[in-house]
Amino acid sequence: MNAKLADRIATVVFYLIALLIIGILAGLIGFILVRGLAVIDWHFLTSPPSTMTAGGGVAPQLFNSLYLLVLTMLITIPLGLGGGIYLAEYAKPGKWTDILRLSIEVLSSLPSIVVGLFGFLVFVQYTGWGFSLAAGALALTVFNLPLTVRVVEQAIRSVPREQREASYALGVSKWQTITQVVLPAALPGILTGMILAAGRVFGEAAALIFTAGMSSPMLDFTNWDPTSLSSPLNPFRPASTLAVHIWKINSEGIIPDAKEVAAGASAVLVLAVLFFNLTARALGRWIHKRMTSGS
Amino acid sequence: MENRATSEWATELLRPDKKQRRLELQGRLMTLVSAWVIILTLFSLLYFIASKGISTFLFDGVSLSQFFSSEWDPAGTPPSFGALTFILGSFMVTVLAAVISAPLGIGAAIYMTEIAPSWGKKILQPVIELLVGIPSVVYGFVGLTVIVPFLRDVTGGPGFSLLAGVLVLSVMILPTITSIAVDTLQSIPRSMREASYALGATRWQTISRILVRTSLPGLMTGVVLGMARAFGEALAVQMVIGNTDNLPTSLVQPISTLTSVITLNMGNTVPGTVYNDALWSMALILLLMTLFFIVLIRWMTRRGEGR
């Protein structure tokens, strides 16, 4: 075959591959939104699921997903910042740093079901909490922390050396340079990465089946006492999230409208992911603009 | 008099310094603690999963050859706990998903970096990022409502099958492979392409003989990472593959994987029983496979750097 013809054919094939992938995504999102948006209404978002009959909603699951995300972020952000700063600013090449990097690599590639099983042993059984939001948040931390550390480290490393040197030249100490000069400059990258990580946490299910559990107790949304069992704020109550709910009703659900509820919940999840994605981009751009042109 | 003034002046100078030093130490300590948390988490995870996983062999008297046989009959008398069927199921799903996904992912990466760098990248990049973000249960749900009924109509079988799992997984691991392939291809210096074009090579010749060959370790790293993801994926696979304990013999047959067996049975078995311990042994296999994939990736990256 002559080389020019082969080149033509290859080009066409690459175009087809690109089109196929865009087609798959468009089909996937289109399918979920078309099926799901038909189901989502105020009633769906604000009423509890039903166990036997059709017409239940996802209110507690939606709340649990958001609350779990907040709890996870409360633990992950300080630890992630600490780990990231350590790797970018303090770590010296050597055995100990190698072990740390390897740990991050292994933790971030572990299957989430393995993380879930570990959480089940340690946070559900040994602590005696049982299936609980706290156990779920800790398991999600295990799975989110390595990502966050990487994001923070990368963002800090991308801050130009000159900024640090200017700060040191003024006699500012290392820690103050980190917190007052480097961190603000790295903020757009850190925020963008963390929001994307939040999107992943929001849709996670396998790690939660064994830690936060697959059911929610009846919640009383007027009860804001975090120690009460029916309070939505109680971190030691079992909680199923949107993603876990989708899995559960599809694999063992007995409600007649399982497909509709799953479609609605999937659409909410995908919209949330889209929202996280767009927010992360917009926020990154906005901060970047403010930091580079203003002051 | 003069002496006192000097010492006051000295303490004045020293005081903020002391405070400064404390702050410095605290900051350093805080970051060090975070780093330790990560290492301790990993080691306790390895310890807990491994100690649960080996008790099947140490205390329950199941031999390794029994565990790696294909006889799975947890309710029988005597019960048998051979997990080979599920291990094979996991491997088949993973390998087949990679076979579909690798050419597509690498092709997309080549398209993005070599063929339509300007607008093609602008569209494909966010598409790939979105594919990463879609939760795995949503992939499972779509597989369940679109792929399974479609396969049922076409093949006449149950629809829940190895093939359904492979199709769902190949879409899920596509973005992993693509984004790593893009990074690898972008890191190849321009001069290499220019040298090839200067010799009169066509674009396809440059891509196939220079670019792909130079970046092979990087491309393979992407594929292995995708396989690691496929091997450990639990819920999406469990929803579409049917979960029967047959040895996988045909593409359209329902099968089980390690992850699907664990997901379905961990909650229904009593802790401390042989059945439950056998599930932990399967989790240990998942863990060991992850470690294996990481070693493989490290080996390939080192080979890539050695060139």
Side-chain angles (χ1 to χ4, degrees):
Chain A
M1 185 163 35
N2 102 27
K4 278 243 167 72
L5 186 67
D7 186 56
R8 282 276 162 75
I9 294 173
T11 306
V12 171
V13 169
F14 285 123
Y15 264 91
L16 288 178
I17 289 175
L19 281 178
L20 177 70
I21 293 176
I22 294 174
I24 289 174
L25 184 85
L28 202 66
I29 296 209
F31 175 80
I32 293 163
L33 291 186
V34 167
R35 285 283 292 263
L37 290 180
V39 179
I40 299 176
D41 56 16
W42 190 242
H43 171 79
F44 181 75
L45 293 176
T46 56
S47 52
S50 68
T51 42
M52 304 291 274
T53 54
V58 291
Q61 281 75 24
L62 187 57
F63 176 83
N64 290 341
S65 286
L66 290 169
Y67 189 36
L68 198 58
L69 179 64
V70 172
L71 288 177
T72 307
M73 283 317 204
L74 281 181
I75 314 172
T76 319
I77 290 176
L79 283 175
L81 278 175
I85 293 174
Y86 180 82
L87 273 176
E89 298 283 342
Y90 290 111
K92 294 188 184 73
K95 211 170 215 167
W96 147 248
T97 307
D98 285 346
I99 295 178
L100 180 57
R101 287 204 187 277
L102 186 65
S103 299
I104 292 173
E105 198 180 332
V106 175
L107 275 182
S108 65
S109 30
L110 279 177
S112 61
I113 187 175
V114 171
V115 174
L117 290 173
F118 167 69
F120 175 65
L121 270 183
V122 178
F123 309 131
V124 173
Q125 292 189 328
Y126 286 139
T127 56
W129 297 340
F131 291 120
S132 60
L133 280 162
L138 286 169
L140 286 182
T141 300
V142 173
F143 143 106
N144 198 25
L145 186 59
L147 280 172
T148 316
V149 170
R150 274 187 185 166
V151 163
V152 173
E153 190 198 350
Q154 252 175 22
I156 290 182
R157 277 191 193 279
S158 67
V159 176
R161 269 180 70 99
E162 288 79 9
Q163 285 196 27
R164 267 164 261 226
E165 279 162 4
S167 171
Y168 292 143
L170 290 173
V172 179
S173 71
K174 179 157 186 166
W175 179 248
Q176 275 190 320
T177 304
I178 293 172
T179 51
Q180 310 288 325
V181 178
V182 178
L183 272 187
L187 199 63
I190 294 178
L191 271 179
T192 312
M194 281 191 178
I195 294 174
L196 288 176
R200 273 194 51 171
V201 166
F202 200 75
E204 176 53 37
L208 291 176
I209 291 178
F210 301 111
T211 50
M214 284 187 269
S215 59
S216 280
M218 283 302 279
L219 295 180
D220 175 6
F221 278 93
T222 55
N223 181 354
W224 296 104
D225 169 17
T227 55
S228 155
L229 249 182
S230 65
S231 166
L233 286 185
N234 185 346
F236 295 104
R237 64 175 174 87
S240 70
T241 62
L242 271 182
V244 170
H245 192 57
I246 294 175
W247 176 73
K248 199 190 164 201
I249 57 174
N250 269 319
S251 48
E252 49 191 65
I254 42 168
I255 47 172
D257 60 344
K259 281 271 148 81
E260 281 71 33
V261 176
S266 294
V268 175
L269 274 184
V270 168
L271 286 174
V273 170
L274 274 172
F275 172 77
F276 282 121
N277 221 304
L278 295 175
T279 316
R281 283 161 184 274
L283 203 67
R285 256 202 312 271
W286 184 71
I287 298 180
H288 185 75
K289 218 187 231 167
R290 277 195 57 148
M291 297 220 355
T292 45
S293 65
S295 57
Chain B
M1 191 69 178
E2 201 192 21
N3 231 342
R4 220 177 128 205
T6 322
S7 77
E8 250 172 40
W9 182 67
T11 40
E12 193 76 357
L13 253 181
L14 276 174
R15 201 178 294 134
D17 206 39
K18 223 179 197 170
K19 209 172 122 194
Q20 198 67 56
R21 224 180 290 161
R22 210 178 50 227
L23 197 72
E24 206 62 19
L25 211 70
Q26 271 174 4
R28 206 193 162 93
L29 208 68
M30 258 158 56
T31 63
L32 199 65
V33 167
S34 312
W36 266 109
V37 167
I38 295 170
I39 294 184
L40 288 179
T41 307
L42 177 69
F43 278 91
S44 59
L45 190 146
L46 294 176
Y47 168 76
F48 277 114
I49 304 273
S51 64
K52 277 289 239 178
I54 56 170
S55 62
T56 315
F57 311 109
L58 291 186
F59 305 113
D60 301 332
V62 177
S63 71
L64 272 177
S65 61
Q66 258 175 301
F67 185 73
F68 287 102
S69 77
S70 60
E71 239 163 271
W72 177 258
D73 187 13
T77 38
S80 50
F81 298 96
L84 185 70
T85 312
F86 316 131
I87 298 173
L88 281 182
S90 281
F91 273 105
M92 288 183 78
V93 161
T94 304
V95 170
L96 290 175
V99 165
I100 295 181
S101 212
L104 287 181
I106 294 172
I110 293 174
Y111 178 81
M112 282 162 75
T113 54
E114 311 300 323
I115 295 185
S118 55
W119 63 267
K121 213 180 161 181
K122 250 182 210 151
I123 299 181
L124 262 180
Q125 187 81 42
V127 164
I128 304 281
E129 273 172 31
L130 267 177
L131 279 175
V132 181
I134 294 180
S136 68
V137 283
V138 173
Y139 280 107
F141 166 67
V142 174
L144 194 63
T145 38
V146 179
I147 296 178
V148 169
F150 175 76
L151 290 179
R152 192 183 296 147
D153 289 346
V154 173
T155 64
F160 292 96
S161 57
L162 173 58
L163 185 58
V166 167
L167 290 176
V168 168
L169 275 178
S170 54
V171 178
M172 288 184 72
I173 65 175
L174 191 63
T176 312
I177 298 179
T178 309
S179 54
I180 291 173
V182 166
D183 287 347
T184 316
L185 287 168
Q186 270 174 344
S187 68
I188 298 178
R190 266 185 74 95
S191 54
M192 239 184 213
R193 298 178 178 88
E194 279 160 5
S196 169
Y197 289 132
L199 290 173
T202 62
R203 187 161 63 188
W204 170 238
Q205 284 170 334
T206 309
I207 291 169
S208 61
R209 301 194 193 158
I210 313 280
L211 300 180
V212 169
R213 218 164 277 184
T214 335
S215 57
L216 201 59
L219 299 180
M220 290 310 293
T221 303
V223 175
V224 173
L225 263 179
M227 286 171 74
R229 199 176 165 202
F231 200 85
E233 173 51 44
L235 302 189
V237 175
Q238 184 271 324
M239 283 160 92
V240 299
I241 58 160
N243 305 299
T244 54
D245 44 18
N246 304 326
L247 268 175
T249 49
S250 100
L251 271 177
V252 292
Q253 221 180 33
I255 60 153
S256 284
T257 61
L258 291 169
T259 50
S260 76
V261 175
I262 298 174
T263 314
L264 284 177
N265 298 307
M266 190 57 94
N268 305 325
T269 52
V270 182
T273 56
V274 192
Y275 191 166
N276 190 263
D277 286 348
L279 295 174
W280 284 100
S281 305
M282 294 184 208
L284 181 59
I285 296 182
L286 284 179
L287 186 64
L288 293 176
M289 276 308 292
T290 309
L291 298 178
F292 168 76
F293 282 126
I294 288 176
V295 171
L296 193 64
I297 287 166
R298 294 205 144 205
W299 177 73
M300 280 188 310
T301 357
R302 215 167 310 139
R303 260 194 61 186
E305 280 162 3
R307 283 189 177 207

